[in-house]
Amino acid sequence: MESLTFKTRDFVHLHLHSDYSLLQSTIQLKPLAARLNELEMKACAITDYGNMYGSLSFYKTMKKSGIRPIIGYEAFVTSGSRQDRSSSVAAGERPYYNLVLLAKNLTGYHNLVQLASRAFTEGFHHKPRIDMELLPQYCEGLIALSGGRDGSLNHFLRQGDRDRALANANELASLFGKDNFFLEIQQHPYVDDQNIVTPKMIQLSKDTGIPMVATQDSHYLRSEDAHAHDVLLAVQTGSEV
């Protein structure tokens, strides 16, 4: 595959949801490609929630537009067994945590397909879930990002449980290997605790040597699309805008 040359300040979206994230994103693939070219972005990832339905269309649309496609998805990793259908959750835990997975080669793509498929056939309980039994079987060829605000590290840092965050970070770094796991930081001023968690994540990176990556967790293309996105979320939740 032809290599790309990036400038120091070039940005690549590695955490982006298309409208295949049903009722959660307004981003359509052709307008996305046009916007990426407008901004002179050379590559982009697709990381829809729990599914890879848009992967083939995304790949073809990006290639046709001269943009390097990065295939991924945002997995839901349960804190217990994917086969457990109980709704009970241990104290301090959530039913599942988000983890962004990106394929860096064909093996990684095949493993993404396995994970996404088995999440539905074996792990579906409110969400298509995987677990820490399944993930080690299909981690080859993958790059993982810690999942942003809904990831396990953010959750534990938000709770003030640094020891748990540290243990979880080291577990994921050991699983995916050197340079294949990144601590994800985001800047969202409207998120109340972002300014509290981000410094803790930066310190965690310094203490562990695990590299960081900045993402945006994009759900719409332009600022003027924010209201349309709010309407979409209101349809999903049955609430008012």
Side-chain angles (χ1 to χ4, degrees), residues 5-25:
T5 301
F6 291 92
K7 300 176 184 177
T8 303
R9 292 185 176 273
D10 281 349
F11 182 81
V12 174
H13 277 293
L14 298 177
H15 192 161
L16 179 143
H17 300 275
S18 77
D19 57 357
Y20 285 92
S21 290
L22 186 62
L23 295 180
Q24 297 184 84
S25 173

Side-chain angles (χ1 to χ4, degrees), residues 71-143:
I71 304 299
Y73 96 115
E74 188 161 355
F76 302 114
V77 185
T78 178
S79 53
S81 169
R82 68 188 183 280
Q83 297 173 334
D84 183 9
R85 299 300 185 265
S86 171
S87 296
S88 62
V89 179
E93 292 278 6
R94 291 178 51 193
Y96 55 84
Y97 302 101
N98 295 27
L99 185 69
V100 174
L101 300 174
L102 306 171
K104 65 178 184 178
N105 52 36
L106 186 58
T107 297
Y109 172 76
H110 288 161
N111 282 332
L112 278 184
V113 171
Q114 284 285 346
L115 289 169
S117 297
R118 296 183 67 168
F120 276 101
T121 59
E122 300 175 8
F124 194 91
H125 181 61
H126 303 296
K127 298 284 187 180
R129 308 166 305 159
I130 60 175
D131 59 18
M132 291 306 292
E133 176 189 28
L134 194 62
L135 194 55
Q137 300 176 40
Y138 298 104
C139 63
E140 184 181 353
L142 295 181
I143 291 174

Side-chain angles (χ1 to χ4, degrees), residues 12-14 43-47 58-59 62 68-72 102-104:
V12 174
H13 277 293
L14 298 177
C44 182
I46 184 173
T47 59
F58 173 79
Y59 180 86
M62 294 301 114
R68 174 71 58 82
I70 303 169
I71 304 299
L102 306 171
K104 65 178 184 178

